Amino acid sequence: MAAMQADEGFTWEDSPEHVDLVPTSVQGYSYAMPIGEFPVLIITATEDGERGAQNQAQWLGLSPDSRQVVIEGPHDLQFAAPEEVAGEIVDLLNSLGAS
């Protein structure tokens, strides 16, 4: 992210989430993993870059209770595959005993 900012002038305004990704990314990489023991669900899109799933797998280190699911579709999976995304979230909640 820092290289993108330096080389291409990438800023938070360029991010659809409108988050300043560079400081956020740098800060995130500075934490010792795991940071706790809690459920983590990483939902990754197949069309999120050629190394999307591999890049997002880093978040599995946040907690020993984490898993990654890859769903067919673009970055905005909540719109492209809402039933699958919601199903994964419901499965996670059910595994925690939520009703």
Side-chain angles (χ1 to χ4, degrees):
M1 288 308 225
M4 285 177 61
Q5 185 177 39
D7 296 344
E8 303 170 24
F10 186 86
T11 68
W12 68 270
E13 290 96 348
D14 300 319
S15 168
E17 290 86 9
H18 299 288
V19 174
D20 193 342
L21 295 173
V22 176
T24 303
S25 293
V26 170
Q27 182 182 20
Y29 288 115
S30 69
Y31 295 120
M33 299 294 180
I35 63 171
E37 190 164 333
F38 47 85
V40 175
L41 173 62
I42 299 115
I43 299 177
T44 303
T46 57
E47 298 171 30
D48 213 3
E50 76 179 48
R51 293 180 32 175
Q54 182 181 355
N55 289 339
Q56 292 181 5
Q58 69 175 334
W59 301 114
L60 292 168
L62 287 170
S63 169
D65 185 12
S66 57
R67 69 183 178 98
Q68 182 176 23
V69 176
V70 179
I71 297 176
E72 184 74 33
H75 180 76
D76 295 329
L77 280 172
Q78 71 274 23
F79 300 116
E83 295 85 11
E84 289 178 76
V85 171
E88 291 296 337
I89 294 168
V90 167
D91 288 348
L92 173 64
L93 293 173
N94 285 336
S95 74
L96 300 173
S99 53

